Amino acid sequence: MFVSLRAGLFVRVLVVVAVVAGVLAVLLSTAVAPRATEERDFGPPPINSKLAGAPPTSQYRVEGTGGAGLNLRACPDLGCVRVGKLGEGKPFTVECWQKGTAVSGDVRWFSGDAAGTKGFASGHFLRRHSGTHAAECGMPEAVLG
């Protein structure tokens, strides 16, 4: 059997089918594709075999305190408890840095160890002596050399 439709009715049916197909395509694509605002866990960062074990460290020295020395603090803030003091020219073994209270415009506070005492020291008074530049805490090792 052959059913004949008028041209106008045929065009209307095609338009309705196309609209329904378009709406279904949009609904299915948003249901399957991840949203840009969703956080996705990509797992831990790859481990460089040279860095396995202890975190990389750099040697810094205290400079620019005018002989007064540098306070070592429990956190990267001037209001944190003082856990030690570093004399002018003394070494500070740095693991990483993070942002904290600005000291003369420098917001970097280095986390590390000085003669067995762990704490944070203001980056304004530290100069790299050896090793690579310290990386931001939680970031891969810096490759600045």
Side-chain angles (χ1 to χ4, degrees):
M1 281 173 95
F2 180 71
V3 178
S4 84
L5 297 174
R6 285 194 263 151
L9 181 60
F10 181 70
V11 169
R12 281 188 237 147
V13 169
L14 282 179
V15 168
V16 169
V17 169
V19 168
V20 169
V23 168
L24 284 174
V26 168
L27 290 175
L28 289 175
S29 68
T30 58
V32 174
R35 295 185 180 134
T37 58
E38 289 180 1
E39 289 186 29
R40 291 180 276 175
D41 183 16
F42 293 106
I47 297 175
N48 183 335
S49 60
K50 294 188 308 183
L51 303 178
T57 59
S58 301
Q59 290 295 318
Y60 284 71
R61 293 218 185 273
V62 176
E63 290 183 16
T65 67
L70 178 60
N71 289 325
L72 192 60
R73 300 202 177 265
C75 70
D77 189 283
L78 291 173
C80 291
V81 174
R82 189 179 105 183
V83 295
K85 189 160 183 131
L86 304 170
E88 183 81 23
K90 295 296 182 186
F92 185 58
T93 303
V94 173
E95 292 180 7
C96 62
W97 67 270
Q98 66 185 61
K99 289 182 181 177
T101 303
V103 175
S104 296
D106 192 343
V107 296
R108 294 173 305 147
W109 283 72
F110 289 88
S111 173
D113 182 281
T117 303
K118 291 191 177 289
F120 289 88
S122 170
H124 180 71
F125 298 105
L126 293 172
R127 303 295 175 268
R128 186 172 61 94
H129 180 67
S130 66
T132 60
H133 288 278
E136 186 173 0
C137 296
M139 302 298 286
E141 179 184 7
V143 292
L144 300 173

